[in-house]
Structure formats: structure tokens, C-alpha cells
Amino acid sequence: MKRILLAAAAVLAVSAGTARADDGPVIGFTTSVTSTAATISLPSSSSPNSPGSISVPVNFTARPAQSEHLNVAMLQPLWQRAAAAYGVPWQVLAAINKIESNFGQNMGPSSAGAIGWMQFMPDTWLRWGVDADGNGIADPWNARDAIFAAARYLAAAGGHTNISRAVFAYNHADWYVNEVLQLANVFGHGGPAVTSDLQQLQTTLDSARTEVIAANRTLVAALHHERAVMRIAQRLDAQVASAQLLSDRLAADRRATAFGARLYDARAVSERARTNLRDAEAKLQTAQRNAEAPSFAPGTSSVLAGPSFGSGYVFPVGGGPSVISAAHTHHDYPAVDIAAPEGSPVYALANARVLNAWHAPDPRCGIGMTIQAFDGQVWTYCHLAYLSPTVVDGASLAAGAQVGLVGETGHATGPHLHLQLQPATAWPQQEAWFQGFAGRAFRWQDAPTPVFSEPARVFAVVNEPATPVVSFSR
């Protein structure tokens, strides 16, 4: 028997790297309610485990020394079998698996203590954990056990009839429900091929970003060393020029000549580092081009860390509310620290002109820039791991142009983008455009994040002349 589960929004079509993002998603899920895992006696979703009814690994809250590594092709049958066993959509299991642990690449424990493939809290695991492989142990670090347990939990929360409510029970945040259902819609329309392709795009992007950060860090260190050697070489040359006695001049010249070789070597190291950075930048540009079209689709945008647009502005960090967060206040003056994983893309927040850009770290601000937006406001970005070479004084930036990558250069604790107005007389997070991205591009750290809802698109005929051409409003 087939059951169609619908979750509200609008239509999304994704195919081979192209996406139509005119509307939000209409979630159309088809699942079988007949279990394909009949060989294992699975616990019901009608009630949780009784105390002591399951066995878990010793120290099950700690990550094991060796973890499973399964690709999308290996995970696909687990999602489908678990979904069939408990009557929930496999696409939702896949989306939760992706968002919670990136298909097992980030299994924690998280800062909140969540563990394993599907990021269960330990007490929740004891109540809903499943021994799905029949080895006598319910293990959250085992992909089969964790995925079947997630399906059971969703079913217990009403996933048979209301998948949105069930996902909310999994993580009590409306932004989380939106993100899971949008990504599930992408997986549902495209099937395993799109799921695998999307994962490959993200892996390639992450690898390219990491390579650029490492290459830029090496170049910055090489240039710092080169400048230090150059200063010493200049002092030695000055000693040669100021020596009064021939013997002193010859001795100084020998020292300067010997140190000149060190300067030559330092410059060679800097040039190799510069070449390596250019190669890494080229790889990143290729990865970004390949991901550009799907990164604008609802669901895929957060995975590929694409830019979020709204009201003439762009949220300055990509990645979505599952990984990007901000607080309503800053520790000592009006500013905002946007927490994000190192390497997250940084975007121009509006059409703007670069007033000042620095690619070598400042002691306090690190790598960053100051820009003047189209409305006259002046913004400073700090602590970047990398700033694009196209960002130079006087350059024009389009809203959403990628300008760099999140880091923690300068005086920073942990990777984040420090954003402030110049002068710092107002809080960026109090700006209407900033708050409009809550629940869509980031989540609040210190307060509930409001529900984000895409306004409906309404099209109307503007005129209907006698010709076959009909004009519509935007």
C-alpha cells in the first residue's frame, strides 16, 4: 500500500544541476507501510523502551575509536527500509541524516551532547534506540540502528499523518522543520542520484575551501618571514654604506651578501606559496561554478552554503540556520559575531564599494575589509581566513558576491565573522534586513528563532491586447 504525505509550501523542481526556486516546496512523499526488514523483530513506535529493555555499548555517549564510513549508495537502502518499517518518508530520514551528521562525517558528541549518525540525546536514545541489525546492541554509532531509531521516533511523533509535526518533535525549531522538509523535497524529486550528486558537490566545495585556507595561511606566513628577512638585509646594507674603514666595509659586505642569499630563498618560498594559492583559488572557482545553479534552490542552498537574498540585502555568511548563528548582543560594543564553521563562504551584504581591504592579518581585526553599501552605510568585516584577490580598494561589489571565507584571524576565539557599522553606533542585528534572515539564513543563539515563511507569489495579467502576447506583473 502506498501513502502520499503532503507538507505545505510550493513547487520545487531540481534536475541535473538546475533548479527552479520561484516557489517554496510542496513535499510529495511516497512510502510503503509494509516492512522490508521482516527478518528483524523491530520494536513498536507506539511506546518507548522500558527501562533496561535494550543493551547499549559501554560508554555509548563517547565516540568509538573506529567509526563506520558509509557513502550515499550504502545509506540509501537503510533509509528506505527504515522508512518502510515505520511508515515515514525515506527522504525525511535522509535529510535528517544529512543535516545532523553530514551522513556520518560529523557524529559528535555535539556541544549539547547529541551523539551518532542521527544525533540523538543519550536519554532519548535509551527510550527510542533500536537494535536494527540483530546483534543484541542498540548503538547510536551504528548507521542501521540509528536510522531505524530515527524512523521509529518520527513515527511515534505522528509522522504517519503529520511529518512536519514529527520533525518538530525531533528538533523543536521551526527553522529546522523548514530546512529538513526542503532538503527532503530535493531528495524526493531527484532520488538517489541527486542525493549523491549533492553530497559530491558539497564535498568538493568543502575540500576546495579548506585548500584555499591552508594555502593562504602558508602565503601569509611566508610573506611575514620575507618581510622580516628583508628588514635585516636592509640594515646590513646600511652598515656597508656607513662603514668608514675598508676592513669594516668588507666584513659588512660579506654579512650582507650571506644574508642576501637568505632573502632570495625567502622570496622563492613566498612565490611558491603564491602559486599554490592561485592553483587552490582556481579549484575553488571551478567548484563554485559547478555548484552555482543548485545552490539557489530551497533545500540545496543551505547544504552548498549559497547566498540568501532579501530586501536588497544578502546575509553575509552562507550555510543556513543549522550551522550559522548570532546573538542579539555583542560583548562590549555594538557589533555582531556571526558564528560559522571555518571556511564558510562570506558574501557582500549589498551592492557596495570597497573602501579598504587588507589580505594580511591585522592584530585585532585579522583579515578583512570595509565597504560602503548602496544606502551609504559603512560596514567592516573581520577575522576572515581568506579574502578574495578581487577585493581591493575601490572595487565594486555586487550583493551576494563571494568575498572570502570565515576564519579566526586576528583577536578572535573560534571561527566567526565580526560585522560592525562604522562608526559602531548601532547594532547590526537590530537592522530590519538582518532580522529578516532569522530562521532562513541563521538562528538566534539567545532567543527563539521566529518562523520564516516565504511570501506567496501572485501573478496578474497587466494587459491583454489583441495580439497573442500577454503581459504579467512581476
Side-chain angles (χ1 to χ4, degrees):
M1 183 174 83
K2 301 283 186 179
R3 176 177 296 166
I4 305 298
L5 303 175
L6 298 178
V11 177
L12 168 67
V14 176
S15 62
T18 61
R20 197 187 80 196
D22 299 341
D23 308 298
V26 167
I27 310 297
F29 298 129
T30 303
T31 65
S32 170
V33 297
T34 302
S35 174
T36 60
T39 57
I40 302 295
S41 179
L42 295 171
S44 168
S45 63
S46 60
S47 60
N49 304 322
S50 59
S53 64
I54 62 169
S55 296
V56 298
V58 177
N59 297 326
F60 80 101
T61 59
R63 187 185 182 96
Q66 292 185 333
S67 300
E68 285 184 295
H69 296 283
L70 304 180
N71 59 30
V72 170
M74 297 173 180
L75 290 168
Q76 183 76 27
L78 298 183
W79 300 326
Q80 291 174 329
R81 290 169 190 160
Y86 286 104
V88 296
W90 73 263
Q91 303 95 318
V92 172
L93 291 175
I96 291 174
N97 197 174
K98 173 64 179 175
I99 291 170
E100 292 290 352
S101 73
N102 193 18
F103 299 150
Q105 295 184 34
N106 305 312
M107 290 197 285
S110 72
S111 58
I115 53 175
W117 280 84
M118 303 298 276
Q119 290 292 279
F120 276 89
M121 295 300 291
D123 58 340
T124 307
W125 180 259
L126 292 175
R127 299 180 74 232
W128 296 101
V130 173
D131 170 23
D133 58 7
N135 68 352
I137 298 175
D139 184 0
W141 306 94
N142 175 282
R144 186 184 181 97
D145 290 358
I147 290 169
F148 272 76
R152 180 190 182 196
Y153 188 87
L154 290 173
H160 301 96
T161 56
N162 190 330
I163 194 62
S164 297
R165 184 179 66 188
V167 174
F168 186 85
Y170 204 95
N171 186 332
H172 304 309
D174 292 294
W175 62 261
Y176 182 82
V177 176
N178 288 339
E179 197 162 307
V180 167
L181 294 184
Q182 285 182 339
L183 186 56
N185 194 41
V186 173
F187 291 163
H189 278 83
V194 163
T195 309
S196 182
D197 289 346
L198 184 60
Q199 181 70 1
Q200 183 58 49
L201 280 174
Q202 187 198 20
T203 299
T204 302
L205 270 172
D206 289 345
S207 176
R209 289 164 180 158
T210 299
E211 190 173 340
V212 163
I213 289 174
N216 190 62
R217 186 179 293 123
T218 300
L219 176 59
V220 168
L223 291 174
H224 179 76
H225 177 67
E226 179 187 336
R227 285 191 291 269
V229 173
M230 183 181 296
R231 286 192 294 269
I232 297 174
Q234 289 171 341
R235 287 200 298 269
L236 292 174
D237 287 341
Q239 290 176 9
V240 173
S242 62
Q244 299 296 318
L245 299 176
L246 178 60
S247 58
D248 293 341
R249 182 174 300 169
L250 292 174
D253 187 62
R254 284 194 296 271
R255 291 194 298 271
T257 300
F259 213 83
R262 293 181 61 180
L263 178 58
Y264 177 85
D265 291 341
R267 286 173 172 164
V269 169
S270 295
E271 190 53 40
R272 285 195 298 272
R274 191 174 284 108
T275 299
N276 290 339
L277 177 58
R278 283 196 290 265
D279 292 343
E281 288 170 338
K283 291 180 183 178
L284 178 57
Q285 289 169 4
T286 299
Q288 289 171 169
R289 283 196 299 270
N290 291 339
E292 186 172 357
S295 70
F296 282 91
T300 61
S301 180
S302 60
V303 172
L304 299 176
S308 296
F309 293 81
S311 303
Y313 287 86
V314 172
F315 195 73
V317 182
S322 62
V323 294
I324 309 299
S325 62
H328 285 84
T329 59
H330 185 256
H331 51 85
D332 56 356
Y333 61 92
V336 61
D337 288 341
I338 304 173
E342 183 179 55
S344 300
V346 176
Y347 299 104
L349 58 80
N351 292 331
R353 180 172 61 89
V354 179
L355 301 181
N356 189 19
W358 51 98
H359 298 256
D362 173 85
R364 289 187 58 81
C365 187
I367 295 171
M369 66 177 188
T370 296
I371 61 174
Q372 184 172 37
F374 68 95
D375 56 5
Q377 289 185 308
V378 176
W379 298 92
T380 291
Y381 290 48
C382 291
H383 308 314
L384 276 66
Y386 163 78
L387 187 65
S388 171
T390 59
V391 180
V392 294
D393 295 4
S396 294
L397 301 176
Q402 187 168 328
V403 296
L405 301 173
V406 168
E408 49 185 321
T409 56
H411 185 63
T413 302
H416 67 278
L417 174 67
H418 174 93
L419 180 70
Q420 70 178 71
L421 283 160
Q422 296 285 13
T425 55
W427 299 85
Q429 55 272 59
Q430 292 179 357
E431 299 258 330
W433 68 265
F434 193 107
Q435 295 185 357
F437 286 109
R440 178 158 61 110
F442 78 100
R443 71 181 187 278
W444 291 113
Q445 299 167 352
D446 53 353
T449 301
V451 178
F452 165 74
S453 59
E454 185 78 35
R457 267 69 169 179
V458 178
F459 298 90
V461 176
V462 176
N463 54 60
E464 193 169 0
T467 66
V469 178
V470 179
S471 300
F472 294 88
S473 72
R474 293 187 64 186

